Amino acid sequence: MGQGDRFRTNVTFVVVAYAVLLGVLVYAVGDDLTQPVQNMAPQVSWLMPDTTAVRVSALKAVDRAGVAGLYALAAALSWGLIGALAAAGFAWGVLNKGATVLGVDKAITYVTALAGLYALSTLTEVMLHATDLPMPRGGIHAMPALWFGAMIPSAAILARLAALLMHDAGALIMIAFDSEPARLAELVISAEETRGADSLEARLARLLAARKSAA
């Protein structure tokens, strides 16, 4: 197993462990998570800076301090996971200068897809909130169970994506900084074989190699 495969395996293990453990904690400790919070307006995403404060305040306002604390803890753990794996990925890439594990093209595709999914989710919540369809009092979007249900898997996905993306960034930065002709040539071959000759990563590798040759 190469360094890249080992790194992907380790990251996958960490995010799966996070999702399982936090999911079990929420299930065991959460109280009436399917009961909507009254007068709760739809929020864009748990990733938005104000969302945690708004949801925690709304829970406390209806005397659900336990769920409020659980949500704040889950949000903190989720952000911590994303930050920790991003930092670990960058450090791994810098130290090993190995082949990329995600690829520039895939990274752009994944980020675009996630942004689209969040936009679709938010639009759906807003539309449901604006209709007169029979829904639980407070609205489906106001159920804490759905908040956790969206946070945990999305945090796991984002943490893995951040780790792989930062790994590639660290590796590419160090390869470009060292400017070793043999390593640049290896990067070009690897990128073309793995990602395709027309991929952004292959073009970037050829650009780095060309600049070194011209220097």
Side-chain angles (χ1 to χ4, degrees):
M1 181 183 293
Q3 290 287 345
D5 292 334
R6 187 177 297 111
F7 178 74
R8 278 197 299 266
T9 300
N10 290 341
V11 169
T12 300
F13 176 79
V14 171
V15 298
V16 169
Y18 150 84
V20 171
L21 292 176
L22 186 54
V24 170
L25 176 65
V26 170
Y27 179 79
V29 178
D31 183 33
D32 293 329
L33 296 183
T34 57
Q35 178 183 345
V37 180
Q38 297 181 24
N39 302 318
M40 185 70 191
Q43 301 298 305
V44 175
S45 166
W46 71 275
L47 295 167
M48 300 301 290
D50 297 333
T51 298
T52 297
V54 169
R55 288 175 172 173
V56 168
S57 297
L59 286 165
K60 289 181 177 179
V62 292
D63 297 323
R64 300 178 68 180
V67 178
L70 181 61
Y71 184 84
L73 174 63
L77 290 175
S78 298
W79 277 115
L81 176 75
I82 294 171
L85 286 185
F90 186 78
W92 192 299
V94 166
L95 293 175
N96 290 284
K97 293 186 292 184
T100 56
V101 294
L102 180 62
V104 179
D105 301 76
K106 282 188 177 180
I108 294 175
T109 300
Y110 290 162
V111 170
T112 302
L114 285 171
L117 286 174
Y118 271 115
L120 178 62
S121 174
T122 301
L123 178 62
T124 301
E125 286 187 357
V126 171
M127 291 176 64
L128 288 173
H129 185 64
T131 63
D132 294 327
L133 294 175
M135 292 186 295
R137 189 175 182 182
I140 294 177
H141 66 273
M143 289 183 179
L146 295 185
W147 302 349
F148 290 108
M151 177 192 296
I152 295 173
S154 64
I157 293 170
L158 287 171
R160 187 176 186 276
L161 176 61
L164 301 183
L165 181 61
M166 292 305 294
H167 170 279
D168 289 2
L172 291 172
I173 288 172
M174 289 307 297
I175 291 171
F177 180 78
D178 290 344
S179 296
E180 299 174 2
R183 185 64 188 87
L184 289 172
E186 181 183 341
L187 176 64
V188 172
I189 295 173
S190 174
E192 290 180 345
E193 291 180 349
T194 306
R195 315 296 177 191
D198 295 330
S199 66
L200 290 174
E201 185 170 331
R203 280 181 271 176
L204 175 61
R206 289 194 295 267
L207 177 62
L208 292 174
R211 286 186 174 180
K212 176 59 180 177
S213 298

